[in-house]
Amino acid sequence: MSEIDVPESHPRYQSLLTRHRIEEGVDKGITSRQGLIAEGRGEAFDYLLGEETLPSADEAARAAAALLHLAERPVLSVNGNVAALVPGEMIDLAAAVDAAIEVNLFNRTDERMRTIAAHLRDHGAEEAGVPIKGLTADARLPGLDHERSKVDAGGIGSADVVLVPLEDGDRAEALSVMGKSEIVIDLNPLSRSAKTAAVPIVDNILRAVPNITEHAQELESAATDDLEAIVRSFDPEAALDAAEGTIRSGDLE
Ligand code: ATP
Ligand code: MG
């Protein structure tokens, strides 16, 4: 038994654990109630994808790792669901690719911003040397209403590569219009967020983030040419088609 009162051998263990973490996130003021709905949508897609990392998603995770290594100013965006599900894993990834983390919320309140930043500090952000941005929201994404457009000028505002897990479609589009290379983690291959990404990773964030970190560690001393070749050979449409095809065929193990 661990975090929840269900044995790890339970066939739905992972999904019960995920629900528990999101619920706890809401109780702690990290996750908004809207986050519960996003979780439900994600779970449905994960079920249809067989609750495992598709080969196409693994390839996407590798391309994401290469892109993050190539970046000059990489930023990993963290919202309420991400903070509840994978706080330590996001810090490990940021440390592996020398990225900053920006707390960036769709339903932004100062209190929730501060609670999430404190939660990331509790998970060792400072010890890992990972800067936490977002508390100063002094730049704007074009074409969005005031609250939803806020970003940190020293974070996402000036980043060249951004990882935006579970991001809303409008904001994902605004980031790509600004010319940023976007890596999206989203279990729904039909979502606008996934479709606007340079690198869409159609996988559960619980599996995807540690997987990107593993690839990043493996590619740590790879030559720039090799990293560029990995990014160039990645085809975002093929990755989305592979995930959608798996769902439509119902052809699961
Ligand atoms: P759009 O179609 O404009 O992109 P949306 O309706 O998808 O918008 P939300 O419901 O806010 O917008 O997005 C939440 C997304 O996050 C959903 O696509 C859902 O599949 C995905 N999601 C939820 N939980 C997870 C998870 N654990 N891992 C990966 N993706 C997740
Ligand atoms: Mg979406």
Side-chain angles (χ1 to χ4, degrees):
M1 307 269 178
S2 65
E3 239 177 297
I4 50 171
D5 200 14
V6 175
E8 286 183 36
S9 57
H10 188 290
R12 315 243 12 103
Y13 177 79
Q14 204 59 47
S15 108
L16 293 171
L17 177 67
T18 308
R19 280 184 206 176
H20 171 76
R21 286 196 192 158
I22 293 284
E23 228 185 314
E24 212 177 47
V26 173
D27 290 344
K28 286 186 184 160
I30 289 171
T31 310
S32 72
R33 284 182 301 162
Q34 289 280 329
L36 293 165
I37 298 168
E39 160 63 22
R41 299 187 69 178
E43 241 185 76
F45 280 102
D46 206 13
Y47 199 103
L48 294 169
L49 287 162
E51 295 175 324
E52 61 181 18
T53 302
L54 299 177
S56 53
D58 183 52
E59 234 180 90
R62 189 172 172 79
L67 193 58
L68 287 166
H69 274 318
L70 286 167
E72 263 165 44
R73 295 177 62 88
V75 174
L76 317 183
S77 176
V78 165
N79 65 19
N81 284 52
V82 178
L85 293 176
V86 285
E89 291 86 344
M90 286 297 277
I91 292 164
D92 291 346
L93 174 58
V97 298
D98 230 344
I101 285 182
E102 176 160 340
V103 182
N104 199 261
L105 304 179
F106 185 80
N107 300 300
R108 186 188 176 98
T109 66
D110 283 343
E111 195 185 346
R112 217 150 69 74
M113 294 293 295
R114 281 196 297 270
T115 308
I116 293 176
H119 183 64
L120 292 169
R121 279 196 297 273
D122 287 348
H123 279 83
E126 254 163 60
E127 293 84 337
V130 175
I132 305 294
K133 314 255 179 193
L135 296 165
T136 343
D138 45 5
R140 301 283 175 266
L141 300 177
L144 295 178
D145 61 69
H146 189 69
E147 275 309 301
R148 289 168 57 209
S149 72
K150 288 183 172 175
V151 290
D152 195 323
I156 290 176
S158 54
D160 53 350
V161 174
V162 271
L163 170 74
V164 281
L166 282 58
E167 184 54 280
D168 138 79
D170 277 352
R171 295 216 297 178
E173 268 169 20
L175 287 169
S176 83
V177 168
M178 283 175 85
K180 302 191 186 296
S181 282
E182 222 175 326
I183 302 161
V184 164
I185 301 171
D186 193 323
L187 277 159
N188 177 3
L190 303 171
S191 123
R192 282 183 302 146
S193 327
K195 286 185 172 164
T196 45
V199 180
I201 306 174
V202 183
D203 199 5
N204 196 317
I205 190 171
L206 290 168
R207 297 187 296 266
V209 173
N211 195 22
I212 305 170
T213 306
E214 245 178 69
H215 282 296
Q217 284 161 348
E218 199 202 310
L219 294 170
E220 165 116 61
S221 42
T224 302
D225 283 357
D226 294 336
L227 295 173
E228 282 170 354
I230 292 172
V231 174
R232 241 193 339 268
S233 66
F234 176 76
D235 179 347
E237 270 174 45
L240 294 176
D241 286 350
E244 192 184 335
T246 303
I247 292 173
R248 289 196 191 278
S249 70
D251 194 12
L252 300 173
E253 298 284 299

